[in-house]
Amino acid sequence: MDDEAIDRPHYREPRQARSAATLARILRTAEEPATVVGLKEMTMSNAAECAGMSVGSIYRRFEGKEQLITALTARMLLQPFADNSTLFSELLRTRGGRRPCP
């Protein structure tokens, strides 16, 4: 594997807000078949059905199931950090910008 392959995104990056919303919807709704039937049994058709879109729409974003799984896994792994970031920002806001004491 070369460095260029590592730096390349695992899916086609969205350029517009609508496209970013579509990507978010695909990843959010793909969690259901991934957890219910498992990653091995999940299909692009499952993901498309849960997202309420055609299989072709999924393939316009991802080259195949492996890319979808990689993006889905990254989203699921990063989600707790995003939640904590939001929580921490809210905590700072409610404390007047002061960091909480240990």
Side-chain angles (χ1 to χ4, degrees), residues 13-86:
E13 290 286 341
R15 295 184 181 166
Q16 297 179 345
R18 186 180 66 193
S19 183
T22 299
L23 174 62
R25 186 172 90 202
I26 291 169
L27 294 176
R28 185 180 65 250
T29 58
E31 288 180 16
E32 182 181 345
T35 56
V36 172
V37 299
L39 292 174
K40 186 176 179 182
E41 299 299 322
M42 182 184 77
T43 65
M44 297 295 267
S45 294
N46 296 137
E49 183 179 341
C50 289
M53 58 182 58
S54 71
V55 176
S57 295
I58 304 288
Y59 277 107
R60 274 195 285 283
R61 177 70 60 197
F62 300 97
E63 291 178 7
K65 180 179 166 180
E66 289 74 25
Q67 275 191 346
L68 175 60
I69 289 172
T70 299
L72 181 61
T73 303
R75 179 183 188 277
M76 293 172 83
L77 289 173
L78 293 174
Q79 191 63 41
F81 296 109
D83 291 344
N84 287 338
S85 174
T86 303

